């Protein structure tokens, strides 16, 4: 009987040891059902340390905190217990049922996975209106505001949007990040860099607050009617005071994670008046000066000069076309070179744009450059204005004279020389090829061809070895091959767009089609069925850098807007180069 008791005791000890040595790895969620305005905590716990932790894709949620790691070790009755936890804090993007998939980790060479978790997201839930609740305190003491300079501008008139974060004096912000950037559909937009955040004192709804300016953006509406400015959303960590105090009597602070939004803003854009609208109006809105300037007024034939058509001032400088010079045909004129010296601040675009023409006269004489005019809409007087350049006369002092009286050329000539007509067959009677043949026989032995044929195979062997070695090095260069393949792929998809450069409508249709065809081929999806947000989610999921994704979406948006706005060939070339660079970058990064 004693032997049986000892055996039973040993079995119990072994069973307990095996049970204590069992490895566990599980996912725990703070709640299975939550409102869209609430947070979810997900913990991944293990009882033994491991490597290569791989969290799931939290589809339908934004990660607002984490991963935070916590490790605890304890001893009880001589036994050691260990626990390691990876914690994530999530905020839902929308209502619905979502599945948090498996996480995995490697422990002692084995892969362990958690069980999937189903989460139901409902409409926003009411929180108890408790003045001592940190959530309530945070709601009442922090505000994100979008201040719009003009809610009723004209088409192409500049407005500014300034995003300010207001915080009450008793509340603090320890961390924040943007989780939803506004997309300015139907606007030309330019963000103004803020070098550093400066805390300033101000008022919000009559109460004293501190505030920081987070973002400044200049917008030029490209459509009339009611246009929506999407909200900026932030995830903020807020420190709010509580009723508890420390041993020195100081009030203790509680940290609250909160998502705040500036809200949508509606802009009612007025169309430009039709009354008094000039025929040559190309969309310029602002306050401008106009000049046509030549680098010289006197020169000799075959010398060159520069004629610069320039508009400077304050307004939508990048969004209209300059008038074209009209010159006599006796003046050789090259395609103008477009230049921009434009800065953007809170009052809009300022500076100058110009088209520089290189002109080369062929004959001596006097040539007038006719007056040209530039029209724009002045928002201050709410009327159209026209500026004329005045006529410029070029005096060509020396050179051949023109026998015609066209092109307003007032020089005359008595040139009676007859042109020499060249006949290509005037020396046809002289035979230049005798067709002689050698009377000596030609032997192949010891000739140059003989030695070449003999030695060439011997020389080809080391050459083939070198070529093969170079090929192996090139094949081994994975990164280089991927770069070359990506560049080749970008050029192939953009070939049609390159052919249409200079034709605005055809170019941007071809460019947009090329971008969609690339995604269709690379991701094997019908991109016409997806929104830009869906494309963005897919690319980021495929590990493409968020900055590259933003550039890709910006080019897509530019393709939509460019069809309705004046675009120069220089801007088309820039958009083409950006598209090629972005496709190449995506192809290098995509997994």
């Amino acid at each position: 009987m004693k032997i049986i008791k000892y055996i039973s005791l040993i079995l119990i000890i072994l069973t307990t040891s095996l049970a204590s040595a069992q490895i566990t790895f599980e996912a725990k969620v703070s709640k299975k059902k939550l409102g869209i305005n609430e947070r979810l905590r997900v913990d991944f716990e293990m009882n033994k340390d491991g490597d290569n932790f791989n969290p799931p894709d939290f589809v339908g949620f934004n990660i607002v905190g984490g991963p935070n790691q916590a490790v605890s070790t304890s001893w009880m009755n001589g036994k050691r217990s260990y626990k390691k936890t990876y914690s994530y804090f999530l905020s839902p993007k929308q209502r619905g049922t979502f599945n948090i998939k498996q996480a995995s980790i490697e422990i002692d060479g084995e892969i362990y996975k958690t069980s999937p978790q189903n989460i139901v997201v409902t409409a926003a839930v009411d929180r108890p209106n408790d003045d001592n609740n940190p959530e309530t305190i945070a709601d009442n003491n922090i505000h994100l505001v979008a201040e719009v300079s003009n809610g009723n501008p004209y088409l192409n008139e500049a407005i500014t949007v300034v995003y300010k974060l207001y915080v009450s004096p008793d509340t603090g912000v320890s961390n924040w990040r943007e989780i939803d950037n506004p997309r300015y559909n139907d606007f030309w937009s330019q963000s103004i860099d803020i070098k550093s955040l400066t805390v300033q004192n101000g008022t919000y709804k009559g109460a004293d607050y501190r505030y920081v300016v987070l973002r400044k953006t200049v917008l030029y509406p490209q459509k009339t009617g009611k246009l929506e400015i999407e909200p900026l959303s932030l995830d903020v960590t807020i420190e709010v005071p509580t009723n508890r105090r420390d041993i020195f009597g100081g009030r203790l602070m509680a940290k609250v994670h909160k998502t705040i939004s500036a809200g949508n803003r509606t802009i009612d854009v007025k169309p430009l008046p039709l009354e008094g609208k000039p025929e040559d109006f190309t969309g310029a809105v602002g306050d401008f000066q106009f000049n046509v300037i030549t680098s010289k007024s006197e020169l000799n034939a075959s010398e060159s000069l520069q004629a610069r058509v320039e508009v400077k001032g304050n307004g939508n400088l990048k969004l209209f076309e300059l008038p074209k010079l009209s010159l006599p045909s006796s003046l050789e004129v090259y395609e103008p070179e477009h230049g921009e010296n434009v800065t953007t601040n809170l009052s809009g675009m300022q500076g100058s744009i110009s088209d520089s023409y290189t002109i080369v006269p062929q004959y001596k004489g006097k040539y007038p450059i006719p007056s040209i005019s530039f029209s724009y809409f002045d928002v201050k007087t709410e009327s159209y204005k026209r500026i004329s350049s005045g006529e410029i006369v070029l005096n060509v002092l020396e050179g051949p004279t023109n026998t015609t009286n066209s092109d307003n050329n007032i020089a005359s000539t008595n040139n009676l020389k007859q042109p020499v007509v060249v006949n290509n067959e005037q020396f046809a009677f002289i035979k230049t090829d005798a067709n002689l043949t050698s009377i000596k026989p030609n032997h192949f032995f010891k000739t140059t061809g003989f030695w070449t044929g003999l030695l060439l195979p011997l020389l080809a062997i080391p050459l083939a070895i070198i070529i093969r070695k170079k090929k192996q090095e090139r094949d081994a260069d994975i990164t280089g091959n991927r770069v070359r393949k990506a560049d080749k792929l970008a050029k192939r998809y953009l070939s049609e767009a390159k052919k249409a450069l200079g034709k605005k409508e055809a170019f941007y249709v071809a460019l947009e089609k090329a971008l969609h065809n690339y995604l269709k081929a690379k991701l094997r999806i019908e991109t016409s069925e997806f929104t830009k947000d869906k494309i963005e989610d897919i690319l980021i999921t495929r590990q493409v850098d968020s900055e590259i994704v933003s550039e890709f979406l910006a080019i897509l948006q530019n393709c939509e807007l460019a069809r309705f706005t004046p675009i120069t060939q220089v801007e088309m070339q820039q958009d083409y180069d950006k598209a090629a660079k972005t496709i190449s970058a995506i192809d290098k990064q995509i997994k």
Side-chain angles (χ1 to χ4, degrees):
M1 291 297 292
K2 290 183 178 181
I3 294 175
I4 294 173
K5 288 182 179 180
Y6 283 126
I7 293 175
S8 300
L9 181 60
I10 292 171
L11 289 175
I12 292 171
I13 293 173
L14 288 175
T15 303
T16 305
S17 300
L18 289 173
S20 62
Q22 184 178 1
I23 296 174
T24 60
F25 179 52
E26 56 186 347
K28 296 181 179 180
V29 296
S30 58
K31 55 183 72 176
K32 294 282 189 177
K33 184 177 181 180
L34 70 156
I36 197 169
N37 59 335
E38 294 184 301
R39 300 296 176 90
L40 176 70
R41 173 171 176 161
V42 183
D43 293 332
F44 299 98
E45 293 184 358
M46 63 203 78
N47 64 350
K48 189 173 184 179
D49 196 9
D51 299 311
N52 302 322
F53 172 68
N54 186 22
D57 294 329
F58 298 104
V59 178
F61 295 89
N62 289 316
I63 300 175
V64 297
N68 299 328
Q69 293 187 37
V71 177
S72 64
T73 304
S74 61
W75 292 86
M76 183 176 292
N77 298 327
K79 295 180 181 179
R80 175 180 177 271
S81 64
Y82 174 90
K83 184 173 73 172
K84 183 175 183 180
T85 305
Y86 290 94
S87 299
Y88 289 84
F89 296 89
L90 311 177
S91 65
K93 295 180 180 179
Q94 59 189 24
R95 287 184 280 176
T97 301
F98 302 96
N99 181 262
I100 297 178
K101 297 183 179 179
Q102 294 177 315
S104 65
I105 196 167
E106 181 180 348
I107 302 176
D108 293 340
E110 296 288 336
I111 302 297
Y112 293 84
K113 295 183 179 181
T114 61
S115 300
Q117 303 287 331
N118 287 325
I119 306 297
V120 178
V121 179
T122 66
V125 296
D126 293 330
R127 293 174 178 151
N129 191 13
D130 182 4
D131 292 338
N132 295 322
N133 187 344
E135 295 282 346
T136 304
I137 297 174
D139 288 340
N140 296 332
N141 288 276
I142 187 166
H143 311 278
L144 180 61
V145 179
E147 298 181 355
V148 179
S149 62
N150 185 2
N152 186 217
Y154 279 104
L155 180 70
N156 265 315
E157 179 185 357
I159 63 173
T160 58
V161 183
V162 179
Y163 295 92
K164 294 181 179 180
L165 181 64
Y166 286 90
V167 182
S168 68
D170 296 332
T171 307
V173 174
S174 60
N175 190 23
W176 64 272
R177 68 184 184 92
E178 296 182 3
I179 58 175
D180 190 12
N181 296 323
R183 296 177 177 84
Y184 304 107
N185 298 325
D186 302 320
F187 291 91
W188 183 95
S189 63
Q190 174 70 54
S191 295
I192 298 176
D193 291 335
I194 299 177
K195 295 182 180 179
S196 61
L197 298 180
T198 304
V199 179
Q200 304 177 59
N201 293 321
T203 59
Y204 178 76
K205 293 184 177 181
D208 291 334
Y209 273 80
R210 297 167 298 158
Y211 72 90
V212 292
V213 176
L214 301 180
R215 178 182 288 202
K216 300 176 182 178
T217 305
V218 177
L219 304 177
Y220 285 87
Q222 301 300 296
K223 288 174 61 176
T224 59
K226 295 186 183 297
L227 306 181
E228 293 290 331
I229 297 179
E230 295 184 355
L232 172 68
S233 297
L234 305 177
D235 177 72
V236 186
T237 302
I238 309 166
E239 295 181 349
V240 297
T242 66
N243 290 329
R244 296 179 293 115
R245 297 182 180 272
D246 57 22
I247 58 174
F248 301 104
R251 179 166 290 184
L252 295 175
M253 306 292 283
K255 286 190 176 182
V256 177
H257 290 277
K258 180 176 175 58
T259 299
I260 58 176
S261 175
N264 286 322
R265 296 297 300 270
T266 300
I267 307 298
D268 191 3
V269 182
K270 298 180 290 188
L272 298 177
L274 296 177
E275 182 180 356
K277 184 176 181 180
E279 293 183 358
D280 60 350
F281 179 71
T282 59
V285 177
D287 184 13
F288 301 106
Q289 299 174 11
F290 175 66
N291 292 296
V292 176
I293 306 167
T294 57
S295 60
K296 59 182 80 171
S297 58
E298 293 185 350
L299 71 165
N300 297 327
S302 299
E303 292 182 359
S304 65
L305 65 93
Q306 300 291 321
R308 188 172 77 253
V309 179
E310 180 184 65
V311 171
K312 59 183 179 180
N314 187 346
N316 60 333
L317 287 164
K318 296 183 179 181
L319 303 176
F320 60 83
E321 294 182 354
L322 291 169
K324 305 295 183 183
L325 279 181
S326 177
L327 299 171
S329 60
S330 297
L331 300 176
E332 186 176 355
V333 184
Y334 294 89
E335 283 293 322
E337 181 179 348
H338 186 74
E340 295 181 354
N341 183 17
V342 180
T343 58
T344 305
N345 54 32
L346 281 180
S347 46
M349 287 187 258
Q350 296 178 345
S352 64
I353 60 172
S354 62
D355 283 342
S356 295
Y357 296 80
T358 300
I359 302 173
V360 182
Q362 302 300 310
Y363 306 100
K364 88 178 164 181
K366 293 186 178 181
Y367 301 92
I369 298 178
S371 172
I372 59 175
S373 62
F374 169 72
S375 300
Y376 68 94
F377 181 76
D378 188 344
V379 293
K380 294 180 180 178
T381 61
E382 297 187 342
S383 62
Y384 292 97
K385 293 185 177 180
R386 179 190 295 272
I387 308 175
S388 297
S389 64
E391 184 180 82
I392 300 174
V393 177
L394 300 180
N395 188 10
V396 182
L397 302 176
E398 297 181 4
T401 54
N402 193 353
T403 59
T404 66
N405 293 322
S406 62
D407 300 330
N408 295 321
N409 180 10
I410 62 175
S412 61
T413 179
N414 293 319
N415 188 359
L416 300 176
K417 293 182 179 180
Q418 299 295 322
V420 177
V421 179
V422 179
N423 186 351
N424 293 331
E425 297 182 356
Q426 55 187 322
F427 297 109
F429 62 93
I430 300 177
K431 189 172 184 179
T432 58
D433 187 2
N435 295 325
L436 300 177
T437 59
S438 175
I439 62 174
K440 293 182 179 180
N442 292 326
H443 300 286
F444 179 70
F445 183 68
K446 292 186 179 181
T447 62
T448 302
F450 170 79
W451 293 115
T452 301
L454 183 65
L455 298 177
L456 190 60
L458 299 177
L459 295 175
I461 293 174
L463 184 62
I465 294 173
I466 294 173
I467 293 174
R468 183 176 180 182
K469 186 176 181 181
K470 291 290 184 183
K471 185 178 182 302
Q472 290 175 345
E473 292 176 357
R474 187 181 179 93
D475 293 340
D477 183 13
I478 298 175
T479 303
N481 288 334
R482 192 166 187 178
V483 171
R484 287 186 285 271
K485 182 180 178 183
D487 292 340
K488 184 177 179 182
L489 185 68
K491 291 177 182 177
R492 177 164 65 88
Y493 277 100
L494 295 172
S495 60
E496 291 299 323
K498 188 173 185 180
K499 295 176 184 177
L501 271 171
K503 303 173 184 178
K504 184 182 73 171
E505 183 72 23
F507 170 75
Y508 282 103
V509 169
L511 185 62
E512 185 176 19
K513 185 177 179 181
L515 296 175
H516 280 281
N517 284 342
Y518 168 74
L519 289 181
K520 182 178 178 181
K522 198 68 183 175
L523 304 178
R524 295 181 176 85
I525 61 172
E526 290 291 339
T527 56
S528 59
E529 300 176 0
F530 285 87
T531 62
K532 291 179 182 178
D533 291 338
K534 187 66 176 178
I535 292 174
E536 181 180 9
D537 290 340
I538 293 175
L539 289 177
I540 291 177
T541 302
R542 298 289 293 271
Q543 299 183 16
V544 179
D545 188 73
S546 58
E547 185 176 345
I548 300 298
V549 176
S550 298
E551 290 181 5
F552 185 87
L553 296 178
I555 297 170
L556 274 178
Q557 182 177 353
N558 201 23
C559 290
E560 298 172 1
L561 297 180
R563 303 176 200 171
F564 311 104
T565 56
I567 296 293
T568 65
Q569 185 165 353
V570 175
E571 292 172 303
M572 292 186 208
Q573 183 66 49
Q574 290 174 349
D575 286 339
Y576 173 83
D577 295 338
K578 288 179 183 177
K581 180 181 177 181
T582 305
I583 289 178
S584 179
I586 290 176
D587 206 62
K588 296 171 195 172
Q589 297 180 8
I590 198 165
K591 301 295 184 181

